[in-house]
Amino acid sequence: MTATASPQTDARDLFAELTGATPAGFWSAPGRVNLIGEHTDYNDGFVFPFAIDGRTVVALGTRGDGRIRVVSTFDPVPIEVALADLDTLFPDRRDEIVEWARYPLGVAWALQDAARAAGVDPAPLTGVDIALASDVPVGAGLSSSAAIEGATASALNDLWGLGLTRVALARAGRRAENEAVGAPTGIMDQMASMLGRPDAGIFLDCRSLDADVVDLGFADAGLEVLVVDTRVSHAHATGGYGERRAACERGAEIMGVSALRDLVPADLDRARELMDDVTFRRVRHVVTEDQRVLDAVRLLRAEGPRAIGALLDASHASMRDDFEISTAELDLAVETARAAGAVGARMTGGGFGGSSIALIDSTLVDDAAARIVAAFAEAGFCEPHVFTVHPSEGARRDG
Ligand code: ADP
Ligand code: MG
């Protein structure tokens, strides 16, 4: 990913503007690309994301008055509340907080609760000033939300000496997103952002939260992941995402299972008999997508990255035709990448806009990018952002 500025420098500058001081430390966490396994996370299923080389940085300093203040290059109006008031703000009075600030403040709230559960009294927790900067594109389906949650959770975990595991921090991030922000997302994004490793993906069982780090071998195979941010925005908190979740819950109920994860492709004939066509197609996407994740991990290990191309293509077709969450822009990006020689391509993220990915030989990247930009212009679409991402390290302290 080509960063135009360093988010660490931006966070440092913003912190200095806010406080007149130098931060006590920097923490960062990455966005993620989901290689395969879409809308399977909240169905207790399998996902296979990797952390990307775009990161959100937290610059943090302590303060003695038990208050938390957050500011971001995204919106430089600082928001400040007493740590003791977080419990009354979330979730019921969250509307009183501007949306972006619910992410870091929601993480602080969730961590206080996790601390309590771990036997730590949150009352004496130190007040903090937090300045945020990021080079993860926002709203592009690359999970800038998990990046801001992961960076904030890591920083506060260290500062407050909570000793929570990476998985516990991922859970706190998810809780912030679900209850403090009000976006009904699964835990994939937070797990990828917390657990990412260079040139590896995170094969995650969203029921047990068992996570395997699986070598991707993209670099050795001369492959790149090309992202096309269609710049058509999506909104998780509203509309289609919630409707898809409801359809999945309905399908599981009809089939008498606690989650669609409990079905296998052989169950689909019976599902077709029992439910309406739309619910059936939603179910079929999730059940076949779980299988594609398992197949992708197996093929990757056995044969290497070029073997997963057809699964990426099939995943896209399933999201376009069965789950109906693609857009004309995403379909064009995927088809053009494939025509330009990609090994495989699919939309990634929640859908209804956002980004597509293509696994492609590094020698073909420039030509594919040019073809995609030209195809979008010809179709009269907004000019896309086209860039490569590299599987990278998860949340960490940077200094
Ligand atoms: P995505 O995760 O795909 O980028 P989301 O809608 O889940 O999209 O999350 C985007 C939201 O997260 C933004 O609208 C904003 O509220 C918040 N956010 C993300 N990054 C930052 C940041 N650096 N500073 C402030 N808010 C941020
Ligand atoms: Mg998000």
Side-chain angles (χ1 to χ4, degrees), residues 32 56 71-75 99-101 103-104 132-134 136-148 177 183 185 189 234-236:
R32 64 96 188 93
T56 296
V71 66
S72 168
T73 51
F74 184 88
D75 177 353
E99 190 182 83
W100 74 264
Y103 289 87
L132 291 149
S134 181
V136 183
V138 170
L142 303 185
S143 211
S144 67
S145 57
I148 188 173
E177 187 143 350
T185 54
D189 299 355
H234 66 94
H236 273 176

